[in-house]
Amino acid sequence: MRAHREKDVQKKIRIEGYMENIEKTVKDEQREGGDRMWGMIATWRMAAEGVEKGAGMLKAGGDAGDAIETAIREVEDFPYYKSVGYGGLPNEEMEVELDAAYMDGDTLDIGAVAAIKDYANPVSVARRLSRENVNCVLVAEGAEKFAHKEGFERKNMLTDRAKAFYRKRVQQDRAEELKPYAGHDTVGMVCLDQAGKMTAATSTSGLFMKKKGRVGDSPIAGSGFYADSKVGGASATGLGEDLMKGCISYEVVRLMKEGLHPQEACEKAVERLDAELKARRGAAGDLSLVAMDREGRWGAATNIQGFSLAVVTEAEELTVYLAKRQEDGHCTFEKASKEWMDDYMRTRMAPVE
Ligand code: GLY
């Protein structure tokens, strides 16, 4: 009996080893062979300039980790985006607390920071943390201490413009419910390089007027982001408190693993969570998603009107799309017109009244 069991175990080990070898050979062939697909997809139009930079790196054979970090830093550094990095809107104590994350889809390494203050590029701190085996998710003072020790750039992230928005908001009704503000939210990206490596990353200042210490979905693996180079990656934007209830980015990757196209996976994940939240709680917050699979096929879905995204692949030039949710839950995509793009920037840079 015992001898039988041992034989079975040895057989299982041999079969698993054989399967692993086949998988590895297929992957190596894809990486060395003619399949040189690369791509990047990101939430919101604000990501476009960063995605353009990242795409240049990917086209030249660059690494998906370097490309996604460069792309997100570009958004973090732009002072007119009110929900990411420098210029991000503060919490109710007028402090800019930032959340960011990075995931390597080859190794499944994850790094994240939450409620970090006074550092210029939280995504870079998150990426650095992803190389740690333990202590790879740090919050507040712990994250700042790590960033200081590692020599990351310190910066006061509260701009005069953000202060003006804060003062204006204080004068308005403070009881108004907190929600993501139109056209501005987390930047979340998924990236595929020519070697077949996939990454995902996020960065956000979270909800304007949030409580000190509030953490949204963006630094939470599986909720704000997920990447697995064997399958694909996803990233979310919207109301963190609700996105977390469905571990929605992991759910999209799980659905892709079952064989769904990224578009079907995104639509299914958004529709299911939206319906569950409405049925159980009477309402659902904003839920939007982008995803790309290991072949560079992409998808996006949303339960709001006005969600935009930026995408580029080896086969498709950088395009900003406006996602339109149909009544049946399917999404259609319209290329953003020049007027829309100009108006977007004009609105972002308009004086605070
Ligand atoms: N989705 C960003 C946040 O809720 O903080």
Side-chain angles (χ1 to χ4, degrees):
M1 189 68 177
R2 197 176 158 170
H4 264 134
R5 219 178 295 141
E6 267 171 18
K7 253 189 177 169
D8 281 346
V9 171
Q10 275 167 9
K11 195 167 157 194
K12 189 167 176 282
I13 290 171
R14 268 204 312 278
I15 292 172
E16 279 174 359
Y18 179 64
M19 291 307 291
E20 260 174 32
N21 273 342
I22 291 188
E23 254 183 48
K24 190 177 172 322
T25 312
V26 170
K27 199 168 180 180
D28 288 349
E29 268 172 17
Q30 278 175 344
R31 291 181 178 202
E32 284 159 20
D35 187 5
R36 290 290 182 199
M37 178 52 87
W38 54 266
M40 201 172 214
I41 187 162
T43 56
W44 305 112
R45 180 265 169 262
M46 67 177 159
E49 286 75 14
V51 169
E52 191 169 22
K53 270 197 171 180
M57 296 166 73
L58 295 170
K59 197 173 182 176
D63 170 73
D66 296 338
I68 207 164
E69 183 185 350
T70 301
I72 296 232
R73 283 175 67 109
E74 185 79 9
V75 189
E76 288 178 337
D77 290 342
F78 191 68
Y80 289 96
Y81 295 142
K82 296 187 290 183
S83 48
V84 178
Y86 185 58
L89 296 182
N91 64 16
E92 63 177 13
E93 298 185 17
M94 209 161 88
E95 299 167 322
V96 182
E97 290 187 328
L98 303 168
D99 299 341
Y102 171 87
M103 182 163 185
D104 179 315
D106 273 3
T107 57
L108 305 183
D109 283 339
I110 286 169
V113 290
I116 188 172
K117 281 191 297 194
D118 298 330
Y119 279 88
N121 295 110
V123 73
S124 297
V125 184
R127 186 177 181 204
R128 169 65 192 84
L129 278 168
S130 74
R131 297 188 194 114
E132 302 289 309
N133 284 328
V134 291
N135 301 312
C136 56
V137 179
L138 295 178
V139 305
E141 281 167 42
E144 289 150 21
K145 209 167 169 178
F146 175 84
H148 174 68
K149 194 175 101 258
E150 292 293 321
F152 284 97
E153 184 193 345
R154 276 183 70 87
K155 187 168 175 175
N156 175 8
M157 302 299 271
L158 183 66
T159 60
D160 288 343
R161 189 174 170 83
K163 282 186 205 161
F165 277 112
Y166 179 89
R167 291 197 193 98
K168 190 174 155 188
R169 180 64 189 259
V170 169
Q171 282 163 10
Q172 288 168 351
D173 183 4
R174 288 284 296 269
E176 202 182 300
E177 202 192 336
L178 290 182
K179 52 184 184 211
Y181 17 92
H184 277 265
D185 196 60
T186 307
V187 64
M189 297 190 189
V190 178
C191 183
L192 164 71
D193 70 22
Q194 292 192 36
K197 173 173 165 180
M198 298 203 73
T199 52
T202 58
S203 186
T204 187
S205 51
L207 298 183
F208 183 24
M209 288 292 181
K210 64 189 178 183
K211 290 265 178 255
K212 183 179 174 67
R214 179 260 184 195
V215 177
D217 60 302
S218 308
I220 308 292
S223 289
F225 65 97
Y226 199 81
D228 178 346
S229 304
K230 290 184 178 173
V231 183
S235 187
T237 175
L239 185 64
E241 283 75 357
D242 277 0
L243 291 161
M244 284 192 265
K245 293 182 176 85
C247 297
I248 199 159
S249 292
Y250 182 77
E251 176 63 3
V252 172
V253 176
R254 191 190 68 77
L255 290 167
M256 291 194 290
K257 197 172 185 173
E258 280 186 0
L260 267 63
H261 184 284
Q263 184 57 33
E264 284 179 285
C266 286
E267 284 175 1
K268 198 163 256 187
V270 167
E271 284 311 300
R272 279 182 184 166
L273 183 57
D274 183 70
E276 287 292 336
L277 293 172
K278 284 177 179 155
R280 296 183 193 211
R281 307 170 59 83
D286 292 8
L287 313 170
S288 302
L289 278 169
V290 293
M292 184 169 278
D293 69 11
R294 66 196 286 266
E295 291 164 39
R297 302 181 304 173
W298 61 269
T302 182
N303 68 349
I304 61 166
Q305 297 302 343
F307 175 53
S308 59
L309 56 133
V311 63
V312 63
T313 68
E314 190 261 335
E316 178 177 3
E317 66 179 22
L318 173 65
T319 309
V320 172
Y321 287 105
L322 309 177
K324 297 245 182 284
R325 180 178 186 263
Q326 308 300 317
E327 275 186 8
D328 61 4
H330 289 299
C331 280
T332 55
F333 300 98
E334 198 179 279
K335 273 189 189 185
S337 65
K338 180 161 177 344
E339 292 73 42
W340 187 91
M341 296 285 270
D342 292 347
D343 187 53
Y344 181 94
M345 241 349 145
R346 220 181 357 258
T347 323
R348 298 311 170 265
M349 297 175 80
V352 189
E353 284 169 11

